[in-house]
Amino acid sequence: MKKWTKIAAAAAAAAMLIPVSACGSTRGGGDSAGPKDAKDVKVGISMPEQMLERWKIDGNNLKQQLEKYGYEVTLQYADGKTDLQTSQIQNMANNDMDYVVIASIDGTSTGAAAEQVKANGGTVIAYDRLIMNTDAVDYYTTFSLQEVGKLQGQYIEEKLGLKDGKTGPFNVELMAGSPTDNNASEYFKGAWDVLGKYYESGVLQAKSGKVPASAAEWQSIGIDNWDRQKAQSEMENRINSFYNDGTHLDAVLAQNDAEATGTYNAVDAAGWDYYPIITGQDAEKANVQAIVQGKQSMTVYKDTRELAKATAELIHDLVSGKKPDFSDSYNNGTKDVPSKLLTPVTVDKDNIKEVLVDSGYISAKDAGL
């Protein structure tokens, strides 16, 4: 995996002088702390919401993994409210949590609360979403972000025969993730690296005109908070304005399963007798069923059991006095955060049983098989 560009040496040296950074390892099991008894270790987990099935699974899996080590674990969900998440994290800091795992709603707004954890001697681990513009983040566990978008882009590329030389032009509408989620920029960059050249050559087009000039302008097509209803309203507007005259919509880049659900709901509302290629991410049960039914084309599967395991193992290593050896890092605007990157997988109707059911991630019944 490619590392993000390293911050300047002078900036790194200056960051080392910030007091809150210096106190983060005295209690949380960092370099200066020796091994601790499991019964003395307190871990806080801050998840963004429970409405999306994946966050419920992530939170429960991580809690169970950590409790197997004998740690005291506090799990809280923020109901999609940034202020509530900030308050919950601050309470964890004030309750002397040794480690706080944060899956941010807003990666920028969470920074101040992360700094309070560090000031109180805790270790901060960003979970699947990077906390931005602060040196308070110690580690980051996630999946290869650009690879997620790349898999989505490649799926559209393959199904439309673009690599085989088909010139269309094909109508492909684009949606990106939440403008407050740093991951969304990486997802879109991965997809744009595959699809961008086809828009530039005219092989792909969007009748709505909502095509960023570059990957850097992804926020112009972002869906706030990855909200399903907002994605549906956006697609209904595009369909009613540009495609209800019989113009064929060939594909939609939806960057998670909530956006995919909003998209195929909008197609249902339009009364079409076909579904365009629709991508997704997270392998939600309802979306797996939609793939089986032919409404959604694919999803990018990120085995959150493995992400929870990797995060729990990271904390256990720190508690044991071991220094993690991560070969990857992401720059959050202030520092290069040591990062553990897992590999995502494309899932469509051809491999649902093999990848999801046979691995025990989902039952055949829940998958709609």
Side-chain angles (χ1 to χ4, degrees):
M1 304 294 175
K2 290 184 177 179
K3 293 185 178 181
W4 280 27
T5 304
K6 296 291 184 183
I7 55 174
M16 292 175 64
L17 300 176
I18 299 175
V20 296
S21 175
C23 65
S25 63
T26 58
R27 180 168 48 79
D31 295 343
S32 64
K36 295 187 65 172
D37 291 335
K39 62 182 178 61
D40 297 325
V41 176
K42 297 166 66 176
V43 183
I45 304 171
S46 174
M47 289 286 154
E49 59 171 306
Q50 297 187 75
M51 290 297 291
L52 281 180
E53 180 183 52
R54 72 145 297 186
W55 294 119
K56 291 177 65 176
I57 294 173
D58 281 62
N60 289 327
N61 280 345
L62 183 53
K63 185 173 186 289
Q64 290 170 10
Q65 292 275 354
L66 291 166
E67 287 177 340
K68 287 180 181 178
Y69 291 118
Y71 308 148
E72 179 184 335
V73 182
T74 299
L75 168 63
Q76 292 186 316
Y77 294 89
D79 300 329
K81 300 173 182 176
T82 302
D83 290 346
L84 177 58
Q85 184 170 47
T86 296
S87 175
Q88 289 174 341
I89 296 169
Q90 289 171 338
N91 287 336
M92 291 177 186
N94 292 333
N95 286 323
D96 293 331
M97 296 290 170
D98 298 287
Y99 302 89
V100 178
V101 181
I102 303 171
S104 298
I105 299 170
D106 183 331
T108 300
S109 297
T110 312
E115 288 165 7
Q116 187 168 340
V117 174
K118 290 291 292 181
N120 284 19
T123 296
V124 176
I125 300 169
Y127 184 93
D128 205 37
R129 293 177 174 177
L130 188 56
I131 302 170
M132 303 301 294
N133 303 323
T134 177
D135 66 351
V137 190
D138 295 288
Y139 301 99
Y140 180 32
T141 57
T142 188
F143 291 82
S144 180
L145 303 179
Q146 290 189 26
E147 185 67 16
V148 171
K150 182 179 178 181
L151 292 175
Q152 294 169 337
Q154 288 175 334
Y155 195 88
I156 292 173
E157 180 184 51
E158 176 189 349
K159 294 304 177 180
L160 293 181
L162 304 183
K163 270 193 168 182
D164 296 330
K166 292 188 178 180
T167 58
F170 299 101
N171 295 311
V172 179
E173 293 290 334
L174 303 171
M175 285 191 294
S178 178
T180 61
D181 183 355
N182 177 71
N183 287 14
S185 67
E186 294 296 295
Y187 297 146
F188 188 76
K189 186 178 188 305
W192 188 254
D193 283 348
V194 177
L195 300 177
K197 59 182 175 290
Y198 296 112
Y199 284 97
E200 292 167 3
S201 68
V203 173
L204 297 183
Q205 60 185 9
K207 289 293 185 180
S208 67
K210 294 188 175 183
V211 179
S214 69
E217 298 182 21
W218 67 275
Q219 290 178 320
S220 65
I221 54 168
I223 302 297
D224 287 341
N225 203 31
W226 299 91
D227 187 82
R228 176 195 59 77
Q229 187 56 55
K230 290 178 181 178
Q232 182 171 339
S233 296
E234 175 64 25
M235 284 310 303
E236 285 176 348
N237 288 337
R238 296 192 200 185
I239 286 172
N240 292 335
S241 299
F242 303 102
Y243 294 96
N244 260 350
D245 61 355
T247 299
H248 190 83
L249 177 58
D250 295 287
V252 177
L253 177 74
Q255 294 221 269
N256 80 337
D257 282 348
E259 293 182 351
T261 301
T263 298
Y264 62 69
N265 283 347
V267 172
D268 285 337
W272 292 354
D273 60 359
Y274 75 95
Y275 292 93
I277 297 165
I278 301 173
T279 64
Q281 172 188 179
D282 291 332
E284 301 271 357
K285 289 179 183 177
N287 295 83
V288 174
Q289 293 171 11
I291 291 172
V292 172
Q293 296 163 4
K295 292 185 174 185
Q296 183 172 331
S297 305
M298 65 84 78
T299 189
V300 177
Y301 169 52
K302 303 183 301 185
D303 192 341
T304 55
R305 296 170 300 180
E306 292 301 316
L307 185 60
K309 181 180 178 182
T311 305
E313 288 176 347
L314 166 61
I315 291 173
H316 186 59
D317 283 347
L318 294 170
V319 171
S320 302
K322 298 178 183 177
K323 183 177 177 62
D325 182 19
F326 290 165
S327 59
D328 293 289
S329 66
Y330 275 93
N331 189 280
N332 72 347
T334 299
K335 65 182 288 188
D336 290 316
V337 182
S339 303
K340 174 70 173 178
L341 306 184
L342 304 183
T343 303
V345 178
T346 294
V347 172
D348 64 9
K349 62 182 179 181
D350 294 331
N351 67 349
I352 283 176
K353 183 178 183 303
E354 174 188 356
V355 176
L356 300 183
V357 177
D358 291 350
S359 70
Y361 188 79
I362 190 173
S363 69
K365 179 180 179 181
D366 285 340
L369 297 175

